[in-house]
Amino acid sequence: MRFIVVMMALMMNVACADQTPPAAKEAQPVVVPGDSSLAMEKLQQAFPGMPVAAVEPSIVPGMFMIQVQGDWLHVTADGRFVFAGEVFELRDNEGAVSLIEERQKAVRVPALQALDPAQMITFPAKQQQAEIYVFTDVSCGYCRQLHRQVADYNSLGITIHYLAFPRGGMASAAGRVMDDIWCSENRQLAMTEAKLEKPLSQTPQACDSPVASQYELGEQFGVRGTPAVFTTEGDQLGGYLAPSRMAKALGLVIAD
């Protein structure tokens, strides 16, 4: 069902595309509101095997929101129309608010807060003003570009927390390398070597690698390419941003 996600892709900034081939996932039990049964029946007829993760009423009258592979669809109660993409509400004093992004943030914030710091690879700023969570892939050119500038981000007060997102899936070469990185004694060194396209100088140890769970988290967040950058408030800043632009996007004041 990857084509549904592609339909919804409104990529911002610069990122390497997700290369994961379409794969059917085992369906999990989903609580379906009774009055959405007709919509769900027609949706499943049109897209057999669609991996629906959640169904809930939308604030748009007569519509439901359906979560599929980390993204949200809007469907009418009669199942006649499906909308894949942004839906905005024009609110007094707030302007246009994306219902999709608002719902995604409600998923992301608690998930980010629940992350174990020991499971991330962090490059901390000495005088931290902001933190970003970056889903990364060692085979991605823009990820390498971001990493080459880690010191510049840090100097602006930006701490970088890396999470793994091998675009080709866990069985890809990048997925195997990232397992080795997370199972290295010095993860920072291993990450830097991989991003510089150098062989890893450390022998990976047997460990319970978090790469697979972080990859799944990225899918839940709607990640479709790397680097995918998120703030602690759950906002997605897009893909690669140069250090000064990243600081501006985070609302940091940069001295001239």
Side-chain angles (χ1 to χ4, degrees):
M1 303 310 298
R2 178 66 61 178
F3 71 96
I4 293 179
V5 178
V6 172
M7 288 168 57
M8 301 176 69
L10 296 174
M11 293 302 293
M12 300 178 295
N13 305 311
V14 184
C16 301
D18 185 355
Q19 300 171 338
T20 312
K25 293 187 178 181
E26 183 179 351
Q28 300 297 318
V30 175
V31 176
V32 179
D35 51 355
S36 68
S37 57
L38 179 59
M40 288 301 300
E41 179 182 349
K42 289 193 174 182
L43 200 62
Q44 294 291 358
Q45 288 176 353
F47 305 108
M50 174 185 286
V52 174
V55 181
E56 59 190 52
S58 171
I59 66 172
V60 180
M63 299 191 74
F64 292 91
M65 293 184 71
I66 300 175
Q67 188 182 34
V68 180
Q69 292 185 334
D71 286 294
W72 292 87
L73 306 175
H74 272 77
V75 58
T76 54
D78 61 3
R80 184 179 178 186
F81 298 101
V82 179
F83 299 86
E86 291 286 4
V87 177
F88 294 93
E89 181 182 13
L90 305 183
R91 299 178 183 171
D92 294 340
N93 303 320
E94 293 183 69
V97 176
S98 166
L99 301 185
I100 302 297
E101 183 65 12
E102 187 173 62
R103 187 62 186 85
Q104 279 288 49
K105 287 173 66 174
V107 172
R108 295 168 186 159
V109 172
L112 290 173
Q113 293 174 342
L115 287 172
D116 181 356
Q119 296 298 305
M120 298 182 284
I121 300 178
T122 296
F123 288 79
K126 290 184 178 179
Q127 297 181 343
Q128 179 177 295
Q129 298 188 60
E131 299 173 81
I132 57 174
Y133 298 85
V134 181
F135 285 90
T136 192
D137 180 341
V138 294
S139 68
C140 166
Y142 290 114
C143 297
R144 293 171 183 155
Q145 175 65 18
L146 187 152
H147 192 74
R148 283 194 289 267
Q149 296 175 290
V150 161
D152 296 326
Y153 294 103
N154 289 166
S155 68
L156 293 173
I158 303 171
T159 288
I160 294 177
H161 302 292
Y162 277 132
L163 298 163
F165 192 84
R167 294 167 296 133
M170 291 306 303
S172 65
R176 294 190 294 271
V177 170
M178 296 179 86
D179 265 333
D180 289 344
I181 291 172
W182 258 264
C183 289
S184 295
E185 182 176 357
N186 186 333
R187 293 175 175 176
Q188 284 189 334
L189 174 61
M191 178 65 78
T192 297
E193 289 173 339
K195 290 289 182 67
L196 295 178
E197 301 182 77
K198 295 181 178 180
L200 301 186
S201 61
Q202 305 167 77
T203 300
Q205 305 298 311
C207 79
D208 185 11
S209 170
V211 172
S213 62
Q214 291 178 4
Y215 177 73
E216 291 179 1
L217 182 65
E219 290 195 317
Q220 293 172 21
F221 278 25
V223 172
R224 293 180 291 272
T226 54
V229 182
F230 295 88
T231 69
T232 55
E233 293 78 24
D235 293 307
Q236 183 170 7
L237 299 184
Y240 167 78
L241 290 175
S244 59
R245 289 188 62 200
M246 185 75 75
K248 183 177 180 179
L250 291 166
L252 303 183
V253 178
I254 304 175
D256 293 331

